[in-house]
Amino acid sequence: MSDGLGFSLAQLRYFVVSAEVGNMSEAAERLCASQSTVSSAVMRLERQLGVQLLLRHHARGVTLTPSGRHLLREARDLLGRARNLKARGDALAGGAVGRLDVGFLASLAPFLLPGVHRLARQRYADLRLTFHEEPADRLAVLLGEGRCELAVTYDFLAGDARFHALAEVPVHAVLAEDDPLGGSGPVELAALAARPLITPNTPDDIRHAEKLFADAGVPLPRVIGAASVETVRGLVAAGSGFALMHQRGRATTTLDGGRVRTVGIADDLPPASLGVAMMPGLAMSGRGVAFLDVLGSVVPAGPSGPAGPPHPALGRASP
């Protein structure tokens, strides 16, 4: 498809250099091109623009026409912006420089994002991370629209995205600190189901809870939805029910002063994989590689348990 311009950056460069040195032969030497190539390129540019840019003087070089003088500054500016664009593209493709938009599953962000942000500042001073804390359905939109290069999430929420696993994280129960259930060790879901389940009120979180109980052959208890992980923990501390989480927070005190504790699940439930999702076919940038380096360092020491071996595709695009 034609862009309608009809001329190239090379033609503009030949015109600018010829005007600056005032001689086609000298311009050709600077441009490492033949005099005929430079002369022909400038003449084609004049035809395509519809104006004469240079006056040719036999044995005395070239001078700018009034039209050429008007257009010279704009040609220089356009070439400068093209060089800036090329430098920007090189930086985006090859190094940990510039802005990187990363999606974070909202229920994961409080556990991992602060550590990622702190470590990224230490390792990559020129990397500017912009985080988007969203539910899983919004993360899929941000990835699909190209507004985020990566999204930190779980495998069961990655949908059609390419997923790189970083760690396996088992599910555990969150109970009020004074709850006698589970005091002697892991608890069965059937025992927990006698009370309400408190969970973030997104469709994905509720579907995941339904699947966990279905896998264990236990009917889903009454569900109380909450807008945030911290509200879930606060309601649990208040004795309103229990929660199931893959994240394991270090703090046991909630914002209102209540206290919670975590208990293992006795049922044989498969762990989830924590990692990053990105669109299939998208080549990972240098900024993305730097982010994975940081995230891989935070996850092993984080609340979700030890990380597994790095995915073989980490740091490069999948074939």
Side-chain angles (χ1 to χ4, degrees), residues 14-27 30 54-57 59-64:
Y14 288 173
F15 159 60
V16 169
V17 174
S18 297
E20 288 174 344
V21 302
N23 186 283
M24 288 283 189
S25 296
E26 187 177 343
R30 292 194 181 187
L54 298 174
L55 288 172
R56 281 81 170 170
H57 308 286
R60 292 190 296 114
V62 296
T63 57
L64 285 163

Side-chain angles (χ1 to χ4, degrees), residues 12-319:
L12 289 179
R13 184 165 176 251
Y14 288 173
F15 159 60
V16 169
V17 174
S18 297
E20 288 174 344
V21 302
N23 186 283
M24 288 283 189
S25 296
E26 187 177 343
E29 291 180 9
R30 292 194 181 187
L31 293 164
C32 298
S34 68
Q35 181 178 343
S36 61
T37 298
V38 174
S39 179
S40 297
V42 175
M43 285 191 291
R44 286 197 305 272
L45 179 62
E46 289 174 319
R47 289 196 300 270
Q48 288 153 349
L49 292 178
V51 294
Q52 185 177 353
L53 301 172
L54 298 174
L55 288 172
R56 281 81 170 170
H57 308 286
H58 180 66
R60 292 190 296 114
V62 296
T63 57
L64 285 163
T65 66
S67 295
R69 193 171 302 279
H70 283 299
L71 293 177
L72 179 60
R73 178 180 297 178
E74 293 186 42
R76 284 172 172 158
D77 179 65
L78 183 56
L79 288 171
R81 283 184 283 145
R83 284 190 291 269
N84 290 339
L85 179 63
K86 177 63 167 63
R88 178 67 173 162
D90 290 342
L92 290 175
V97 178
R99 171 172 166 168
L100 176 68
D101 286 82
V102 178
F104 251 95
L105 186 67
S107 59
L108 267 174
F111 298 91
L112 296 178
L113 196 156
V116 167
H117 197 266
R118 179 177 61 252
L119 189 57
R121 293 199 313 269
Q122 296 171 1
R123 290 187 183 176
Y124 302 100
D126 295 325
L127 180 64
R128 301 195 310 276
L129 294 175
T130 300
F131 298 110
H132 304 263
E133 298 179 55
E134 300 285 353
D137 58 344
R138 280 293 302 157
L139 289 183
V141 172
L142 293 178
L143 288 175
E145 293 179 349
R147 294 169 61 188
C148 286
E149 181 174 327
L150 303 170
V152 182
T153 186
Y154 293 114
D155 56 343
F156 61 86
L157 297 176
D160 295 330
R162 191 167 88 243
F163 185 78
H164 298 319
L166 288 172
E168 286 194 343
V169 284
V171 65
H172 61 269
V174 182
L175 303 174
E177 185 182 53
D178 57 359
D179 192 321
L181 189 62
S184 59
V187 62
E188 294 184 351
L189 283 183
L192 291 169
R195 60 194 71 190
L197 168 67
I198 306 172
T199 183
N201 56 5
T202 70
D204 289 306
D205 284 293
I206 294 173
R207 279 195 294 268
H208 184 52
E210 291 173 346
K211 185 177 186 306
L212 288 174
F213 277 88
D215 288 345
V218 177
L220 183 72
R222 182 167 68 91
V223 174
I224 298 176
S228 70
V229 171
E230 190 53 44
T231 303
V232 169
R233 295 175 76 248
L235 288 170
V236 169
S240 300
F242 73 100
L244 296 177
M245 291 187 180
H246 291 283
Q247 312 88 27
R248 185 182 294 270
R250 291 189 178 94
T252 59
T253 304
T254 61
L255 292 180
D256 65 344
R259 297 185 69 85
V260 296
R261 62 189 175 95
T262 59
V263 178
I265 301 295
D267 304 74
D268 185 18
L269 299 177
S273 290
L274 185 154
V276 293
M278 61 187 301
M279 291 305 295
L282 177 65
M284 191 175 295
S285 69
R287 301 177 313 286
V289 173
F291 175 78
L292 286 175
D293 170 56
V294 171
L295 182 62
S297 296
V298 171
V299 168
S304 297
H311 190 284
L314 285 176
R316 61 181 184 271
S318 292

